[in-house]
């Protein structure tokens, strides 16, 4: 059996006296889409930051593709889409994406960077807006730009922390379809954080339900409904209803 893309083993974390995460363990298979679902403050962002290497756990360890992840080297293939889009306001969309690519792949030539940025912007439907600045874009377009920035380095693993929570429901649904469409173009493992039960059911193959104080795994739910999934479908609505009872 091949190694899991992500293996979280006995992770614990304190902030001072506050025990935020207690003995968390789960795996994410290659190509799987997994949601971390839990109430605000239960430690979802802290856990994702630990996977990303932005925070260190006090206990346990993390394995990526069968390798123990101790630093940045094992996280080469990982991209992180934050809760805020974090686009640099003084740079065009294209320049934002080239800048991110330069940090991820410093050996690429300027020409290669430009070509890859253009291709990625085309993929997310933003080619016509490459020279726009972030303030000139709608919320949905900014979200696409942030997604393009995450994907331009061709990550094997994409982490997302409530990336669509500020969008209106219609734009959020469009971004969900977009993420799933992009995943069919290039195989990617996705681990994302949400407090939105509907988002978890629409996107995920499996949902890890976290309990708070300290954050720990309460339940793992398989979602085997066919895609695309819409909350207006009876079986999807039923899965949402059942998951709500667990959160
Ligand atoms: N850097 C930090 N220092 C101290 N406390 C923190 C820090 N980051 C998060 N916390 C606390 O840890 C808990 C979990 O936070 P977080 O991981 O952001 O939760 P979530 O993303 O589920 O809303 C909260 O009580 C928060 O106040
Ligand atoms: Mg959070």
């Amino acid at each position: 059996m091949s190694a899991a893309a992500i293996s979280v083993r006995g992770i614990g974390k304190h902030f001072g006296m506050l025990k935020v995460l207690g003995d968390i363990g789960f795996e994410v298979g290659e190509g799987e889409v997994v949601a971390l679902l839990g109430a605000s403050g239960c430690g979802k962002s802290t856990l994702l930051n630990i996977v990303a290497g932005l925070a260190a756990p006090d206990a346990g360890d993390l394995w990526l593709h069968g390798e123990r992840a101790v630093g940045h080297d094992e996280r080469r293939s990982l991209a992180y889409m934050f809760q805020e889009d974090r686009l640099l306001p003084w740079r065009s969309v294209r320049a934002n994406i080239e800048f991110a690519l330069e940090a991820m792949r410093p050996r690429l030539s300027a020409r290669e960077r430009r070509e890859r940025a253009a291709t990625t912007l085309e993929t997310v439907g933003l080619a016509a807006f490459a020279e726009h600045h972030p303030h000139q874009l709608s919320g949905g377009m900014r979200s696409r730009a942030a997604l393009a920035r995450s994907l331009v380095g061709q990550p094997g693993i994409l982490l997302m922390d409530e990336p669509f929570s500020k969008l209106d429901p219609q734009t959020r649904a469009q971004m969900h379809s977009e993420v799933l469409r992009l995943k069919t173009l290039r195989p990617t493992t996705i681990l994302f954080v949400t407090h939105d039960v509907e988002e978890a059911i629409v996107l995920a193959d499996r949902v890890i339900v976290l309990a708070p104080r300290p954050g720990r795994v309460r339940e793992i739910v398989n979602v085997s409904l066919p895609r695309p999934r819409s909350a207006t479908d009876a079986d999807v609505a039923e899965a949402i209803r059942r998951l709500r009872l667990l959160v």
Side-chain angles (χ1 to χ4, degrees):
M1 209 180 84
S2 66
I6 303 171
S7 176
V8 170
R9 303 185 186 173
I11 294 270
K13 177 79 179 170
H14 290 75
F15 287 115
M17 296 293 287
L18 180 69
K19 190 177 184 186
V20 178
L21 300 174
D23 197 22
I24 296 219
F26 62 86
E27 296 203 328
V28 183
E30 292 286 351
E32 216 185 354
V33 183
V34 170
L36 288 167
L37 176 71
S40 179
C42 79
K44 303 182 297 298
S45 295
T46 303
L47 180 55
L48 213 60
N49 286 341
I50 289 171
V51 176
L54 300 177
D58 311 327
D61 48 22
L62 174 80
W63 293 65
L64 298 173
H65 308 293
E67 243 186 305
R68 183 153 174 260
V70 284
H72 287 288
D73 273 4
E74 300 83 15
R75 292 180 168 91
R76 275 181 309 260
S77 75
L78 201 146
Y80 197 162
M81 193 168 166
F82 296 96
Q83 202 160 356
E84 324 80 46
D85 61 45
R86 300 197 185 185
L87 296 167
L88 302 173
W90 60 88
R91 285 176 185 263
S92 67
V93 171
R94 177 184 54 73
N96 262 283
I97 285 157
E98 287 185 24
F99 182 69
L101 183 56
E102 188 170 8
M104 287 182 273
R105 302 272 183 272
R107 282 200 288 272
L108 289 180
S109 68
R111 195 179 134 204
E112 248 177 311
R113 273 203 302 277
R114 191 169 261 260
E115 282 171 5
R116 287 204 195 183
T119 310
T120 309
L121 282 170
E122 185 130 356
T123 313
V124 300
L126 278 186
F129 299 90
E131 301 308 325
H132 284 54
H133 281 69
H135 72 92
Q136 297 173 298
L137 304 181
S138 68
M141 287 155 89
R142 289 180 69 118
S143 195
R144 278 171 199 270
L147 190 56
R149 186 190 45 196
S150 300
L151 296 176
V152 69
Q154 304 192 323
I157 298 173
L158 175 61
L159 306 176
M160 303 194 292
D161 189 356
E162 309 204 25
F164 312 125
S165 60
K166 292 193 189 70
L167 301 176
D168 61 82
Q170 193 185 343
T171 312
R172 190 182 313 139
Q174 281 167 1
M175 291 309 297
H176 292 160
S177 315
E178 187 69 4
V179 166
L180 295 173
R181 183 183 68 84
L182 292 169
K183 193 175 174 305
T184 64
L185 301 180
R186 208 177 159 274
T188 311
T189 303
I190 300 178
L191 176 62
F192 75 101
V193 159
T194 187
H195 63 261
D196 179 348
V197 173
E198 181 176 327
E199 180 164 76
I201 291 288
V202 167
L203 281 184
D205 298 313
R206 275 189 310 139
V207 181
I208 297 171
V209 182
L210 297 177
R213 286 181 295 277
R216 60 204 184 278
V217 177
R218 173 179 283 164
E219 188 99 36
I220 298 184
V221 177
N222 288 313
V223 189
S224 48
L225 299 163
R227 292 190 168 93
R229 300 171 186 157
S230 160
T232 54
D233 297 343
D235 45 358
V236 176
E238 173 60 15
I240 291 169
R241 194 191 64 77
R242 266 185 285 138
L243 185 56
R244 280 221 166 91
L245 301 175
L246 297 176
V247 184

